[in-house]
Amino acid sequence: MVTNDYITMNGNGFSKRAEEFIKRYHKLEVKENQCSSSLVKHIKAPVHLVWSLVRRFDQPQKYKPFVSRCVVQGDLQVGSVREVNVKSGLPATTSTERLEYLDDDEHILSMTIVGGDHRLKNYSSIVTVHPEVIDGRPGTLVIESFVVDVPDGNTKDETCYFVEALIKCNLKSLADVSERLAVQDRTEPIKR
């Protein structure tokens, strides 16, 4: 399904390049009574700016609009846990999340939700950030995939739709913040 510049995937529909990244980096095991999807976002900002926001496991509120506060236990290495307070308007108040993987060279961040006051059980996500050229300037291809249990009383479609809506909101905000930073950075066009 394509909405604006987001592409969500439960079947086919990505560019060859995005498909290759998904096959290489977004390997999530989907069990019975779980749903999974991948979303793609093109951002008109260089990869170093976008990654500088995504990699900050301790500061998701820099671009995630539903996060009001974050406190991290640990040294921001794999295994660190963050307690996130969620702004009102969502069916949640807190989320406890563990950093599963962080690779600054390949630009990969993976996390799982291990507790909190919400219905997202056994939630795991992977975010990868890749350089690309957009309108002759350095840009970024962001891919976020997830897997989560389908709560009692919900269908797979309803669950995926809800999680995709949250991720789309986060990716739009990530694009807005990154693109503002890129304007301040005044990145020059790529000469061919």
Side-chain angles (χ1 to χ4, degrees):
M1 167 169 81
V2 177
T3 20
N4 246 340
D5 54 344
Y6 297 96
I7 304 172
T8 60
M9 172 119 179
N10 288 317
N12 294 319
F14 286 130
S15 70
K16 270 236 183 273
R17 189 164 181 260
E19 282 181 14
E20 290 171 14
F21 289 136
I22 290 168
K23 285 179 187 171
R24 183 171 178 189
Y25 300 111
H26 294 263
K27 297 175 185 167
L28 292 168
E29 183 182 332
V30 183
K31 299 175 182 164
E32 189 152 344
N33 202 41
Q34 288 187 319
C35 72
S36 179
S37 187
S38 297
L39 292 90
V40 171
K41 178 76 172 154
H42 301 275
I43 299 177
K44 295 178 180 181
V47 72
H48 74 275
L49 288 178
V50 177
W51 181 245
S52 73
L53 294 166
V54 171
R55 75 162 317 284
R56 292 303 304 262
F57 185 72
D58 60 330
Q59 296 180 2
Q61 67 274 24
K62 292 266 187 190
Y63 75 92
K64 292 186 176 188
F66 301 113
V67 175
S68 61
R69 182 173 176 262
C70 176
V71 177
V72 174
Q73 303 161 1
D75 55 2
L76 294 179
Q77 299 298 315
V78 170
S80 295
V81 174
R82 69 183 178 194
E83 296 286 333
V84 173
N85 290 7
V86 179
K87 291 182 181 176
S88 64
L90 287 179
T93 55
T94 63
S95 183
T96 306
E97 304 167 353
R98 182 175 53 233
L99 181 62
E100 298 294 340
Y101 188 78
L102 180 65
D103 186 326
D104 282 314
D105 295 327
E106 295 287 333
H107 302 125
I108 304 167
L109 183 140
S110 175
M111 55 79 67
T112 56
I113 294 178
V114 295
D117 175 29
H118 52 74
R119 297 183 71 199
L120 298 178
K121 304 297 180 215
N122 292 314
Y123 180 92
S124 294
S125 74
I126 299 170
V127 179
T128 59
V129 177
H130 312 275
E132 69 176 355
V133 177
I134 301 173
D135 300 331
R137 294 183 179 276
T140 303
L141 169 68
V142 179
I143 303 170
E144 184 163 351
S145 58
F146 71 90
V147 63
V148 67
D149 288 358
V150 176
D152 290 339
N154 288 87
T155 67
K156 284 186 179 187
D157 285 346
E158 290 167 338
T159 304
C160 264
Y161 181 81
F162 173 74
V163 176
E164 287 173 356
L166 289 176
I167 292 172
K168 284 179 186 179
C169 218
N170 289 338
L171 291 175
K172 181 183 182 324
S173 180
L174 176 63
D176 292 345
V177 172
S178 299
E179 290 170 2
R180 273 195 307 274
L181 288 171
V183 167
Q184 293 169 3
D185 195 38
R186 299 183 192 273
T187 305
E188 294 299 316
I190 296 172
K191 293 184 173 86
R192 297 194 183 247

